[in-house]
Amino acid sequence: MFHILTGVLDAAALLALQEAVAALDYEDGRRTAGAIAGRVKRNAQARQGAARDAVTARVQAGLMASGTFTSAARPKGFARLLVSRYEGGQAYGSHVDDALMPGGRTDLSFTLFLSDPASYRGGGLVVQERAEDRLIRLNAGEVVLYPSDTLHRVEPVTEGTRFAVVGWVTSWLRDPRQREMLFDLDQAIGVEQARGAEDGQLDRLAQLRSNLLRMWAE
Ligand code: NI
């Protein structure tokens, strides 16, 4: 399932993040790519260090405060976060992300778009699905969350500069169908909560959610 998250950062936090990201020190993105993905990866990534870690920590905190993110991802941890920069025709050809990264298994991938889409050309994230390709090109501050098992690519950035924070999440639930069912259950529980009925229905739904998580989590 794909999710578009809005409001992960408020306007002031987004501006501060954009400024911090533009000021980072960048190196060849192939450094973190495997042999197969490295053949098609042409971008720059922020060099590891305190300034980069401060950026990724802010993004992690923003995501963890998002109810949609925690409901959709059931995050156990972040396998890795990177800050990427594309310009001058750079692109990332079709590839699948590594299943295992230093921080763990990759169940979900996300991209936080940081550049105003009017400020650059190209740079869409294209995720290949069975029936068709899905093109994602979001406003600054918006996040797409999608399954890590897909083939995907970033189209060439032919004008301007595209900054993004990308990352991978290890979920308590490895099976995407289980994640979807619990996401739907969260939605149903939200409706019951809003209804405010005192007929025990909410307790039963909460018990069901808790016991499914207990059965499936690993
Ligand atoms: Ni990728």
Side-chain angles (χ1 to χ4, degrees):
M1 206 197 301
F2 281 64
H3 293 273
I4 307 293
L5 314 177
T6 56
V8 171
L9 303 162
D10 64 31
L14 174 61
L15 188 61
L17 199 69
Q18 287 169 321
E19 287 173 357
V21 160
L24 291 174
D25 187 21
Y26 287 83
E27 63 185 359
D28 191 331
R30 276 172 286 193
R31 193 182 156 88
T32 56
I36 296 174
R39 294 181 310 175
V40 293
K41 185 175 186 181
R42 298 291 177 270
N43 70 359
Q45 275 168 196
R47 208 180 292 277
Q48 202 161 8
R52 202 286 307 262
D53 293 347
V55 164
T56 55
R58 266 186 266 171
V59 173
Q60 264 181 248
L63 288 171
M64 292 304 288
S66 157
T68 307
F69 176 77
T70 54
S71 175
R74 302 281 169 189
K76 190 177 188 178
F78 288 84
R80 171 179 267 168
L81 287 94
L82 297 170
V83 181
S84 67
R85 185 187 70 193
Y86 292 79
E87 57 193 3
Q90 288 180 320
Y92 196 164
S94 182
H95 67 280
V96 67
D97 296 333
D98 286 342
L100 301 175
M101 293 191 184
R105 188 184 63 229
T106 58
D107 296 314
L108 297 110
S109 305
F110 68 84
T111 298
L112 164 62
F113 286 74
L114 282 174
S115 301
D116 176 353
S119 71
Y120 65 96
R121 283 174 86 102
L125 170 67
V126 180
V127 180
Q128 293 173 235
E129 295 191 276
R130 297 281 168 221
E132 58 182 2
D133 287 356
R134 189 189 292 232
L135 172 69
I136 299 139
R137 199 171 185 279
L138 301 179
N139 292 317
E142 294 180 344
V143 177
V144 59
L145 181 68
Y146 62 102
S148 293
D149 60 0
T150 59
L151 280 168
H152 55 273
R153 63 183 185 272
V154 177
E155 294 185 317
V157 173
T158 54
E159 265 178 44
T161 303
R162 172 200 191 268
F163 287 105
V165 175
V166 298
W168 295 270
V169 182
T170 306
S171 176
W172 284 105
L173 306 171
R174 142 197 324 247
D175 186 334
R177 294 168 303 175
Q178 293 173 344
R179 288 198 300 269
E180 266 177 48
M181 283 189 271
L182 281 171
F183 180 82
D184 290 341
L185 189 51
D186 284 344
Q187 299 290 308
I189 287 172
V191 170
E192 281 302 308
Q193 274 176 315
R195 224 162 51 91
E198 292 294 337
D199 55 4
Q201 187 69 357
L202 187 57
D203 288 342
R204 281 190 288 275
L205 286 172
Q207 182 189 28
L208 174 62
R209 173 170 64 185
S210 192
N211 288 336
L212 286 172
L213 261 175
R214 195 171 286 111
M215 181 163 62
W216 290 337
E218 53 176 313

